[in-house]
Structure formats: structure tokens, C-alpha cells
């Protein structure tokens, strides 16, 4: 199952055991996925205290709660890509009964709408959750407690309504849409609404001054399933994490997944360590960014976070109502693997030929006094400033016509690069995003003569 060194596996197991012991959690699963599959997992404690000492495993179901939001968001974006909605569509366009106007799909996905957190009716006190009709009528009674985009405000109500939008546009119940669009293609067989009856972790509450856990109930969230109703396993979440790292077009294109991982609003305005994209939490740990989501239900606290750059995911599943921070465990596992057992460096592979039209373009050009090195990799033109940080990828260009290229990634993405040649065909100057590039550095005062 694993390509992780034995010494690193031992260290990972110690991290999970430490969180289980200090957090007084009956049962914990920690897991790491990379190179496309589950690479390592361990279970600590007991899956069910009626069978003490039998730990949960990667095949034990936990309630993943708000991690469900990431799947709802992917379904919404797939519908967007199919032309069935726009991120700028307002809720009343998609739910005509809505009395709240001007709330956009983008605001809903990024928790920037200002709508109240929960459905009306004290649902988490009474443990009574709305059906689809009650959800929409309750939406109309709910408050908009903040201005749009003014500040981050998390809302289960909003994501529940996104589930209703998915159901209406897809012509089938929310879970049926999620199963057909995501779970079946990714072979996530044990990701279900509530427990499926197979191996599972029982959820407990451990009181603060007692070591006698109390068994928690399993809830039926009704129309709130889209915001938190799913159960899953570490094995299934490994498949999900690998999709987030490297999407497949059958579910969602890479460009769209990249779009979902762009910051829409900052949740941590003091230290900028937590932001939200379109349905995903974006968590900073040092110089690394992770995307994923936490989840919390009675008896279950969970998290899956992905370091997309390395294609590595960490999974934390706690069988307790109160636990150590799940995202900290998930990301600690990834960081340990990245630092102690990184994947081998990909060997450099020589190219076969430089396209003739680029032969005279290669080398250093200057723009606004700064040098940019233009080079070819596998026949593709790219450019990077020598002083740019190492972690920044070069700009990459795609030829669209003679001497005209489109920047397809990196600096100035989307902008044109135009090559101007002398009568003998030698490249004389470049215009990149309209800025002049010359072989010699020039002051702005000299540009008129260039």
C-alpha cells in the first residue's frame, strides 16, 4: 500500500497516538495519500467501546459532516461548466421562491453572502432538521446578518440551499447527483448519507472531568445533507484527496478545480492563515498552502487537507464530539511526510528540438529595466525573471499565430506576447502584455527611440 519509509511510518503513528491520548478520543484514524492512492494509515483506540481495543481502520466509516460541502461545491462548479448556471447568478434566478435578492452563487460558495449561519428554528437544539420545502420557506425567514463580501461568515444554511440548487438544475435529489457525478467515477463506494451499515466508528462525547464516554446519536439532517450529511472512510477520502490534487475531467476540469482553490475571502484577517475559495478552506502552514475542509457532527470530528503542489493529502478522523484540531493533525501528517520522506526528484529529460521560429527569441530580454530569461522546455517557450523566487513557476506561452503567443500560465497569464522582427527575420523586440522588451536595458526616457 505504501511507498513511505518505515521510519516515517513510525513517526506518523506516534503523531496520531499522541493526539488520541492527549485529546482523550475513543478512536482515531490518521492517513496519508500520495502518488494517486492511500499510502499509509493507522487506527488508535477503539472503534466501538463495546469491543475495546479493536481500533478503527481506513475502512471504518466516520461522519465527515462539513467535508460534504466540498463535494456540493464541485457539483455546483460542474453545473457551471455545463452552462446551467453562472457564479454571478443570483439565488432568486435559481430558486424563484427566494425573497432574498442579489445573493450570488459565488458569495454562497465562499461564505461571503452575509446570510445567517443556520436554518431558522434552533435546529441544533431541537435536533429537528428541515425537509426541502421547509428549507426554502425557512430561507425566506432567515436574516442577512452582514453585508456581502464585507467579512467571512460561515453558513450551513447557504450550503444547504446550494444542495437544493444542485437538485433542481440536475433534475434529481442532491445525493443522487453527487453519487453519479463524483462518487461513482472516483469509486468512493462507502461515502454515503449517514452510515451504510458496514464497519464504522461509534461517536462519543467524553466529559471534561470524567473518563466515561457518552455515546452520541446519529442524526438525520434532511435537506441539510448538502452541508454536512455524508459519512466516509479514510480509504474513500484518500481517493477524494487525490482528485483534489489531480482532477479528472470526468468529474471536473483542472482549470475549474484551480479556480475553486483561489482565495475569495479571508477568514483569518489578523494572520492570513485561513481563507476560503469556492467551497474549499485554504489553510497556510508556514510556506505551504493546503486546501480541504473540516467536519464536525456529534461524536465525529474530521478533516481532509491536500498539499496540491506535491499531490499529498492528510486525513484525520476522530470518534469524538470534542477533539484536537483535525486540520492540524491532517496537515501535520502531510508535513512530516514532505519533510522526512519526500518523493524523489523527477530527473531532467532533454528536449529534442527548438522550434525554428523561437531560435532567435531565446536569451535575456529587458522590460522596465528588469531582465527576463526566455527559454524553451520540451519545445515550449517560457520566461522567468532571474530574481523571481524559486517557488514561482515561469510564464508559459502557447503559439496562436505567427509571432503571436498567449501566456497560458504564470506571470501575466492570459496576456499576449508579440514578436517584432527586422527585415532579415531577427527578433528585434517583444511586447508582453503590451510592455516593451528589448535586448539591452533601456530607461523609460529612451523607449520612444526603441
Amino acid at each position: 500500500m505504501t511507498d513511505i519509509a518505515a521510519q516515517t511510518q513510525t513517526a506518523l503513528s506516534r503523531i496520531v497516538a499522541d493526539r488520541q491520548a492527549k485529546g482523550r478520543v475513543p478512536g482515531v484514524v490518521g492517513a496519508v495519500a500520495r502518488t494517486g492512492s492511500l499510502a499509509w494509515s493507522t487506527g488508535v483506540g477503539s472503534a466501538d467501546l463495546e469491543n475495546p481495543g479493536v481500533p478503527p481502520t481506513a475502512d471504518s466509516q466516520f461522519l465527515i459532516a462539513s467535508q460534504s460541502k466540498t463535494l456540493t461545491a464541485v457539483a455546483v462548479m460542474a453545473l457551471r461548466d455545463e452552462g446551467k448556471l453562472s457564479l454571478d447568478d443570483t439565488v432568486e434566478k435559481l430558486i424563484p421562491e427566494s425573497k432574498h435578492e442579489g445573493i450570488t452563487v459565488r458569495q454562497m460558495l465562499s461564505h461571503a453572502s452575509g446570510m445567517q449561519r443556520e436554518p431558522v428554528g434552533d435546529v441544533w437544539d431541537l435536533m429537528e432538521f428541515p425537509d426541502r420545502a421547509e428549507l426554502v420557506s425557512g430561507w425566506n425567514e432567515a436574516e442577512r446578518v452582514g453585508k456581502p463580501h464585507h467579512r467571512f461568515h460561515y453558513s450551513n444554511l447557504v450550503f444547504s440551499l446550494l444542495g437544493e440548487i444542485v437538485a433542481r438544475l440536475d433534475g434529481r435529489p442532491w445525493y443522487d447527483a453527487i453519487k453519479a457525478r463524483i462518487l461513482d467515477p472516483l469509486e468512493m463506494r462507502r461515502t454515503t448519507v449517514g452510515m451504510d451499515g458496514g464497519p464504522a466508528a461509534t461517536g462519543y462525547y467524553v466529559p471534561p472531568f470524567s473518563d466515561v464516554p457518552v455515546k452520541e446519536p446519529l442524526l438525520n439532517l434532511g435537506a441539510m445533507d448538502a452541508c454536512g450529511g455524508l459519512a466516509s472512510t479514510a480509504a474513500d477520502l484518500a481517493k477524494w484527496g487525490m482528485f483534489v490534487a489531480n482532477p479528472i475531467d470526468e468529474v471536473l476540469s483542472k482549470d475549474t478545480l484551480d479556480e475553486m482553490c483561489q482565495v475569495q475571502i479571508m477568514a483569518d484577517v489578523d494572520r492570513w492563515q485561513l481563507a476560503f475559495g469556492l467551497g474549499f478552506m485554504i489553510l497556510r502552514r508556514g510556506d505551504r498552502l493546503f486546501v480541504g475542509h473540516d467536519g464536525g457532527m456529534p461524536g465525529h470530528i474530521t478533516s481532509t487537507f491536500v498539499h496540491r503542489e506535491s499531490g499529498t493529502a492528510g486525513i484525520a478522523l476522530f470518534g469524538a464530539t470534542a477533539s484536537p484540531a483535525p486540520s492540524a493533525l491532517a496537515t501535520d501528517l502531510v508535513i512530516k511526510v514532505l519533510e522526512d520522506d519526500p518523493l524523489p526528484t523527477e530527473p531532467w529529460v532533454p528536449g529534442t528540438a527548438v522550434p525554428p521560429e523561437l531560435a532567435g527569441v531565446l536569451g535575456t530580454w529587458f522590460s522596465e529595466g528588469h531582465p527576463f530569461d526566455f527559454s524553451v522546455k520540451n519545445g515550449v517557450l517560457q520566461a522567468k525573471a532571474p530574481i523571481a523566487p524559486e517557488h514561482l513557476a515561469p510564464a508559459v506561452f502557447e503559439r496562436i499565430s505567427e509571432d503571436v503567443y498567449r501566456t497560458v500560465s504564470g506571470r501575466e497569464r492570459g496576456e499576449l506576447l508579440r514578436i517584432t522582427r527586422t527585415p532579415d527575420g531577427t527578433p528585434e523586440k517583444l511586447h508582453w502584455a503590451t510592455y516593451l522588451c528589448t535586448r539591452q536595458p533601456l530607461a523609460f526616457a529612451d523607449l520612444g527611440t526603441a
Side-chain angles (χ1 to χ4, degrees):
M1 178 181 71
T2 182
D3 60 355
I4 297 175
Q7 184 176 356
T8 305
Q9 292 184 54
T10 299
L12 294 172
S13 295
R14 286 177 180 153
I15 292 171
V16 177
D18 180 72
R19 303 298 163 87
Q20 188 270 347
K22 291 183 179 178
R24 301 190 312 142
V25 180
V28 179
V29 169
V32 173
R34 70 173 179 178
T35 62
S37 63
L38 181 66
W40 168 89
S41 69
T42 192
V44 181
S46 301
D48 190 312
L49 294 177
E50 293 183 5
N51 296 290
V54 180
T57 71
D59 295 317
S60 300
Q61 267 195 327
F62 288 73
L63 300 176
I64 63 168
S66 286
Q67 290 195 58
S68 309
K69 291 180 174 68
T70 57
L71 281 79
T72 297
V74 165
V76 169
M77 296 302 289
L79 290 166
R80 191 285 304 271
D81 287 353
E82 293 165 10
K84 295 179 180 177
L85 62 80
S86 162
L87 293 183
D88 296 322
D89 281 345
T90 57
V91 67
E92 67 270 19
K93 177 179 178 180
L94 305 171
I95 309 276
E97 310 96 291
S98 174
K99 294 181 180 178
H100 290 286
E101 297 181 349
I103 297 172
T104 67
V105 174
R106 184 185 301 277
Q107 292 167 0
M108 298 172 79
L109 287 168
S110 57
H111 297 287
S113 71
M115 286 296 295
Q116 71 180 54
R117 181 181 175 109
E118 304 295 337
V120 296
D122 299 326
V123 294
W124 293 104
D125 182 3
L126 301 174
M127 298 299 175
E128 295 177 359
F129 303 94
D131 61 22
R132 289 177 63 179
E134 292 166 337
L135 176 69
V136 175
S137 62
W139 164 266
N140 288 332
E141 297 174 25
E143 282 191 282
R144 196 168 191 179
V145 298
K147 300 175 184 177
H149 297 285
H150 185 61
R151 61 170 59 90
F152 167 80
H153 187 74
Y154 191 83
S155 178
N156 284 321
L157 170 61
V158 163
F159 258 83
S160 299
L161 204 70
L162 283 170
E164 177 65 17
I165 289 172
V166 169
R168 293 193 185 195
L169 294 183
D170 214 36
R172 50 189 165 183
W174 167 82
Y175 179 71
D176 291 348
I178 295 297
K179 186 174 186 299
R181 288 180 171 275
I182 301 171
L183 303 180
D184 288 348
L186 298 181
E187 299 185 349
M188 296 172 65
R189 306 301 186 202
R190 298 203 58 216
T191 301
T192 55
V193 172
M195 301 297 193
D196 65 4
T202 300
Y204 296 94
Y205 172 64
V206 182
F209 302 109
S210 166
D211 60 357
V212 181
V214 178
K215 188 175 179 179
E216 292 281 30
L218 291 173
L219 304 179
N220 180 353
L221 295 187
M224 294 181 65
D225 284 338
C227 83
L230 292 178
S232 191
T233 67
D236 265 16
L237 291 171
K239 296 174 182 177
W240 176 245
M242 294 299 87
F243 162 77
V244 173
N246 187 23
I248 60 172
D249 288 340
E250 183 180 356
V251 176
L252 200 69
S253 73
K254 182 182 184 300
D255 280 349
T256 299
L257 205 293
D258 290 347
E259 181 183 359
M260 296 179 73
C261 297
Q262 294 177 25
V263 173
Q264 302 292 320
I265 193 166
M266 191 63 61
D268 175 11
V269 296
D270 295 318
R271 297 190 177 183
W272 286 37
Q273 292 177 342
L274 177 64
F276 266 76
L278 298 170
F280 283 102
M281 299 170 67
I282 304 169
L283 180 65
R284 174 176 290 282
R285 295 286 308 272
D287 291 334
R288 297 185 178 97
L289 288 180
F290 297 83
V291 297
H293 215 288
D294 290 337
M297 283 283 279
H300 300 261
I301 302 293
T302 67
S303 187
T304 301
F305 271 88
V306 183
H307 184 248
R308 298 187 73 212
E309 182 180 349
S310 67
T312 311
I315 299 155
L317 305 173
F318 292 99
T321 299
S323 77
S327 58
L329 176 55
T331 53
D332 280 349
L333 295 175
V334 174
I335 290 169
K336 189 66 176 174
V337 170
L338 294 181
E339 292 183 348
D340 288 9
D341 194 13
L343 292 171
T345 300
E346 290 288 333
W348 176 79
V349 177
T352 57
V354 174
E357 67 272 15
L358 294 178
V361 176
L362 306 186
T364 301
W365 295 80
F366 293 85
S367 180
E368 297 185 280
H370 295 283
F372 290 90
D373 292 339
F374 283 75
S375 61
V376 163
K377 182 178 180 180
N378 296 323
V380 176
L381 182 66
Q382 59 184 29
K384 187 172 182 178
I387 62 171
E390 185 176 348
H391 72 274
L392 291 182
V396 177
F397 304 93
E398 181 179 276
R399 188 174 188 267
I400 61 174
S401 63
E402 184 177 356
D403 286 340
V404 180
Y405 293 76
R406 179 77 66 184
T407 316
V408 295
S409 65
R411 181 188 178 114
E412 307 297 354
R413 179 175 179 173
E415 298 281 359
L416 291 178
L417 172 73
R418 293 182 289 112
I419 302 170
T420 300
R421 300 179 185 269
T422 61
D424 67 1
T426 302
E428 180 182 28
K429 56 187 176 181
L430 312 177
H431 285 89
W432 185 15
T434 76
Y435 284 89
L436 178 65
C437 300
T438 58
R439 281 298 191 183
Q440 300 298 321
L442 297 177
F444 274 91
D446 297 326
L447 292 183
T449 60

